[in-house]
Amino acid sequence: KEASARGAFVSLSRSLDGFVPLRQISDEFIDEKGVSAMLPPGTLVVARVVKLASGGANALPSLSLKRSDVEGGTMRKRLTFEALHAGRAVTGFVRKVVDFGVFVRLHGGGEGKGAERLDALCHSSEASDSKLTDLAATFKAGDVVRGVILKTDAEKRRISLSLKPSRLRELAGSDDEEEEEAESEEEAE
């Protein structure tokens, strides 16, 4: 129906509209300017109601267009700090680039009030397989990245991340080996 910097209004029927907040439009990072380009008026969308309307006659139901919320018929569980462990592959988007590393907001962490946001730091030595002299030339705020958790510090709630492609390849290789071992065990039975 209409897009703005705060989100998008969606017609659910002739008499009922819904609102999709900016943070619920996509699993990927979307800036305020990208909303109207991504959702021009008349675009057919599939959404999930995440909160029913409350608070008066003009209140609208809150919707999500995130693929992770819509696919599969059930809401996916949020990623929690406790679920993170060394060797886990994660995706996220670059929040900030500094001289010593890249701060990444992990996808699947909380977005609403009181929810836990999961931010990780990728030290400059773990940003690439080759030495980078200028991280800001390679990474920009909003870039979607995939990495591997190196370690977590539960006491300080810190997450150390590697963005090296070689670590992701190693992880993919070990996953393949585990699948092959499981298949050979099933065949033996």
Side-chain angles (χ1 to χ4, degrees):
K1 184 176 177 178
E2 179 183 353
S4 71
R6 294 183 52 216
F9 292 93
V10 177
S11 293
L12 301 174
S13 70
R14 289 184 181 190
S15 61
L16 180 63
D17 291 338
F19 181 69
V20 183
L22 183 62
R23 69 180 179 276
Q24 295 291 341
I25 288 178
S26 174
D27 287 313
E28 308 299 325
F29 178 79
I30 303 284
D31 66 358
E32 295 172 356
K33 298 171 195 131
V35 176
S36 56
M38 184 178 181
L39 295 170
T43 303
L44 183 62
V45 296
V46 176
R48 180 176 207 106
V49 175
V50 291
K51 185 177 177 187
L52 293 174
S54 62
N58 293 332
L60 300 174
S62 181
L63 308 173
S64 174
L65 301 180
K66 288 181 177 181
R67 177 173 281 164
S68 61
D69 287 343
V70 174
E71 283 185 354
T74 59
M75 297 287 277
R76 286 178 41 185
K77 291 175 90 176
R78 294 275 180 213
L79 184 63
T80 62
F81 185 87
E82 291 72 24
L84 298 175
H85 56 83
R88 180 174 180 161
V90 293
T91 58
F93 65 90
V94 175
R95 297 275 297 161
K96 186 177 182 180
V97 180
V98 292
D99 292 340
F100 57 86
V102 180
F103 287 94
V104 176
R105 168 81 37 94
L106 302 183
H107 287 159
E111 293 293 332
K113 291 180 183 173
E116 180 181 27
R117 289 192 171 113
L118 299 173
D119 290 327
L121 171 63
C122 173
H123 188 268
S124 58
S125 64
E126 287 291 330
S128 176
D129 287 325
S130 58
K131 183 172 169 105
L132 295 177
T133 55
D134 184 15
L135 289 173
T138 306
F139 299 99
K140 305 277 186 248
D143 287 351
V144 175
V145 294
R146 185 159 168 78
V148 177
I149 302 290
L150 295 177
K151 65 181 177 179
T152 59
D153 182 343
E155 189 175 300
K156 295 182 180 179
R157 308 290 285 182
R158 291 186 179 167
I159 304 165
S160 180
L161 183 68
S162 174
L163 299 176
K164 288 183 175 182
S166 61
R167 290 202 189 260
L168 284 168
R169 283 192 298 273
E170 287 172 14
L171 187 61
S174 68
D175 288 346
D176 292 342
E177 290 170 12
E178 288 173 12
E179 286 176 19
E180 288 174 11
E181 287 175 15
E183 287 175 8
S184 62
E185 287 174 10
E186 287 175 9
E187 290 173 4
E189 294 174 0

